[in-house]
Amino acid sequence: MDRAQKEQLVDELGQIFESSGVVVVSHYAGLTVAEMQDLRARARDAGGSVRVAKNRLAKIALEGKPCASIADLLTGMTVLTFSEDPVAAAKVAQEFAKGNDKFVILGGAMGENALDASGVEAVSKMPSREELISTIAGMLGAPASNIAGAIGAPASNIASILSTIEDKAAA
């Protein structure tokens, strides 16, 4: 890799560190190519990405970035899992780690906040952006349906009372 390629890689990594909602750093020693492809596919399906980069270049890219605190985690064979959604990459990494002992989560960063392995696990248990939006939409719709039911209830009650009175009068 020549100098121009290294500079381009550092720029790409810098953009990743700036734009990602969460970056998870993990060791992947011993994973097969098929397992790495599975991890990449899972991340892609969740709206994230997986990147293997030289630690030295990643540390250069981290300089001056909000998540610079993860530079200490970049030792050995590391892989970066990242996404714009602050939860997606953590969920993918955590689920993959449960099924694969060779994939070890070291920690990560969520904006300026450094996360250890238990912090990544806690983030992975949070609801995703889509789940939060659907929950909020449901909460906003519930009062309207309750109001409509309350407005319609007296009319249906009166109708049932009248039909009861008619039935008694007919008998």
Side-chain angles (χ1 to χ4, degrees), residues 25-68:
V25 180
S26 309
H27 277 163
Y28 69 100
L31 287 181
T32 65
V33 172
E35 291 169 332
M36 279 299 286
Q37 288 175 339
D38 180 38
L39 174 61
R40 289 178 195 277
R42 289 184 190 192
R44 188 174 32 256
D45 292 344
S49 295
V50 174
R51 184 72 185 254
V52 177
K54 291 187 175 231
N55 292 332
R56 193 169 33 92
L57 296 178
K59 286 178 182 181
I60 293 169
L62 275 169
E63 291 175 6
K65 303 295 186 285
C67 57

Side-chain angles (χ1 to χ4, degrees), residues 71-86:
D72 296 339
L73 301 175
L74 298 172
T75 59
M77 295 179 65
T78 55
V79 61
L80 304 172
T81 310
F82 55 94
S83 64
E84 287 184 27
D85 181 353

Side-chain angles (χ1 to χ4, degrees), residues 68-141:
S69 58
I70 65 172
D72 296 339
L73 301 175
L74 298 172
T75 59
M77 295 179 65
T78 55
V79 61
L80 304 172
T81 310
F82 55 94
S83 64
E84 287 184 27
D85 181 353
V87 179
K91 279 189 179 192
V92 168
Q94 194 67 35
E95 288 174 15
F96 190 76
K98 283 181 186 174
N100 199 320
D101 295 336
K102 299 172 193 168
F103 187 79
V104 180
I105 297 174
L106 301 175
M110 188 176 195
E112 293 182 3
N113 300 324
L115 304 170
D116 57 359
S118 61
V120 172
E121 182 179 356
V123 169
S124 72
K125 292 179 181 177
M126 294 170 55
S128 69
R129 182 181 298 167
E130 289 79 21
E131 292 169 343
L132 285 174
I133 290 172
S134 65
T135 302
I136 291 171
M139 290 174 149
L140 292 175

